[in-house]
Amino acid sequence: MGENIVLTGSLASLLAGLATAVGALPVLFTKNIKESVLDAMLGFAAGVMLAATSFSLILPAIEKGGGGAKGAAITAGGVMLGGIFLDYIDKMLPHFHTIAGMEGKESSLKKIWLFIIAITIHNFPEGLAVGVGFGGGDYKNGLSLAIGIGLQNMPEGLAVALSLLREDYKPSKAFFIALLTGLVEPIGGIIGAALVQVAEPILPWALAFAAGAMLFVISDEIIPETHSRGYQRLATYGVLLGFVIMMFLDTTLG
């Protein structure tokens, strides 16, 4: 049973990661995508992540942690640990954002590798969330998480590919790199599902940890990027739309 859960979580996180490539497909045909459209789509991705974090990670973490004050305390601790972990990784690994520029330690790596590291830092907690979701044996919760992560990966894949086009990469290469960035998610999926199987009592901590890591990404990266080009109102409506769609999916599937 445990092996099946780990395999299912890994495959689900792989499919969610491959949605990054689906989102990047338009760059093979055009690069004339308005920034307003991209910001609205990224806002949608942030809204999906927020709802997935709330309904598929935090609420189950409270329940699995025993409910009440005990469950809330465990969840609060896990959320903070997840955010602190992402903050540490963000500071330690050299990486490059198209808006924020260079972050982390200094490095002589080419900009493209620094960019890929940034996306990897971003995508790992998403795969972890899917893996943990399945690792608890709740297939419906894992499925809703995988669908949600897949939905939000599409606009992110497009943003990655467009950023590479602006760095003078060929469309085919930009698409291929966007595909590769999504493939880090199955790694997080395997780790998340396996950890929960090995030590089931860590499930509420793992759910909350993944939630904290995703909240850090939303606040530190996605939302600031959508507010950097003057289309923050469109991005805000994108957040609202993404949130309610993911809330509906989680309610009907979970």
Side-chain angles (χ1 to χ4, degrees):
M1 179 67 176
E3 292 180 359
N4 290 337
I5 289 176
V6 174
L7 178 61
T8 303
S10 303
L11 289 175
S13 57
L14 172 61
L15 291 175
L18 289 175
T20 303
V22 176
L25 280 173
V27 302
L28 296 176
F29 309 101
T30 181
K31 59 180 179 181
N32 297 319
I33 297 174
K34 293 181 179 180
E35 288 186 338
S36 58
V37 173
L38 182 60
D39 281 348
M41 292 175 67
L42 286 173
F44 175 86
V48 169
M49 287 181 74
L50 279 170
T53 299
S54 301
F55 299 107
S56 297
L57 293 173
I58 290 178
L59 289 181
I62 294 172
E63 179 185 348
K64 299 292 184 182
K70 178 185 176 183
I74 289 173
T75 302
V79 167
M80 293 305 298
L81 285 174
I84 292 169
F85 175 77
L86 251 290
D87 184 33
Y88 176 78
I89 296 297
D90 197 64
K91 290 175 180 176
M92 293 300 295
L93 289 181
H95 57 284
F96 180 83
H97 294 287
T98 54
I99 300 298
M102 185 68 191
E103 292 185 357
K105 292 187 175 181
E106 293 185 7
S107 173
S108 59
L109 290 172
K110 291 183 178 180
K111 185 184 290 186
I112 179 58
W113 290 110
L114 294 171
F115 185 71
I116 290 174
I117 291 172
I119 302 301
T120 300
I121 295 171
H122 180 120
N123 284 357
F124 179 80
E126 297 169 7
L128 181 69
V130 175
V132 170
F134 278 101
D138 189 342
Y139 282 88
K140 288 185 177 180
N141 188 49
L143 178 61
S144 64
L145 265 170
I147 292 174
I149 297 299
L151 282 175
Q152 65 92 26
N153 273 342
M154 291 181 187
E156 290 182 2
L158 180 59
V160 169
L162 287 174
S163 297
L164 293 170
L165 289 182
R166 287 195 289 267
E167 296 293 328
D168 296 324
Y169 280 81
K170 293 180 179 179
S172 58
K173 191 170 185 179
F175 170 80
F176 182 67
I177 293 172
L179 167 64
L180 290 179
T181 61
L183 295 182
V184 71
E185 292 196 11
I187 300 173
I190 292 171
I191 292 173
L195 278 176
V196 174
Q197 285 299 298
V198 171
E200 189 173 343
I202 73 166
L203 177 59
W205 287 96
L207 288 165
F209 182 93
M214 285 177 61
L215 285 173
F216 184 91
V217 169
I218 295 165
S219 179
D220 189 63
E221 296 180 21
I222 302 180
I223 290 179
E225 183 171 345
T226 65
H227 285 59
S228 64
R229 291 179 284 255
Y231 303 108
Q232 54 267 27
R233 186 59 58 88
L234 275 174
T236 298
Y237 276 106
V239 171
L240 293 172
L241 181 62
F243 189 93
V244 297
I245 287 177
M246 184 59 200
M247 177 183 66
F248 181 82
L249 285 173
D250 192 85
T251 302
T252 54
L253 293 176

